[in-house]
Amino acid sequence: MARDAKGRARRARSPVKAQHLQDATTAAVPLSLDTDLERIAAHEAGHIVMAAMLGMPLPFSARIAPNGGAVTRLGDEK
């Protein structure tokens, strides 16, 4: 994507800008992005719900991206 964004900027005769990166990302993302993100979000939310139900430390961060997601906890202390 970075190479694509750089090419877009070169063709526009400008430095790389956020719009070039956005356009490159949009071109690279599969059409099923919404469905994939919903599935990944539901999966990561499941980790948070189960942690709450099992009395585990709750995460301080959760993220999703087209290629996966992550839930991060500070530690195992309550």
Side-chain angles (χ1 to χ4, degrees):
M1 281 187 271
R3 198 173 281 167
D4 183 357
K6 187 175 178 181
R8 290 169 187 273
R10 189 178 319 114
R11 287 188 295 280
R13 297 176 189 249
S14 76
V16 176
K17 297 178 181 175
Q19 187 61 50
H20 299 125
L21 292 167
Q22 179 64 42
D23 292 344
T25 301
T26 300
V29 173
L31 294 176
S32 64
L33 176 62
D34 290 341
T35 303
D36 289 344
L37 286 178
E38 287 177 18
R39 179 185 52 79
I40 294 166
H43 175 89
E44 297 308 325
H47 288 291
I48 297 167
V49 170
M50 290 307 297
M53 292 181 69
L54 296 173
M56 297 172 64
L58 294 178
F60 72 88
S61 165
R63 69 171 182 80
I64 62 169
N67 61 343
V71 173
T72 308
R73 285 191 281 273
L74 285 175
D76 291 334
E77 68 279 348
K78 287 189 176 186

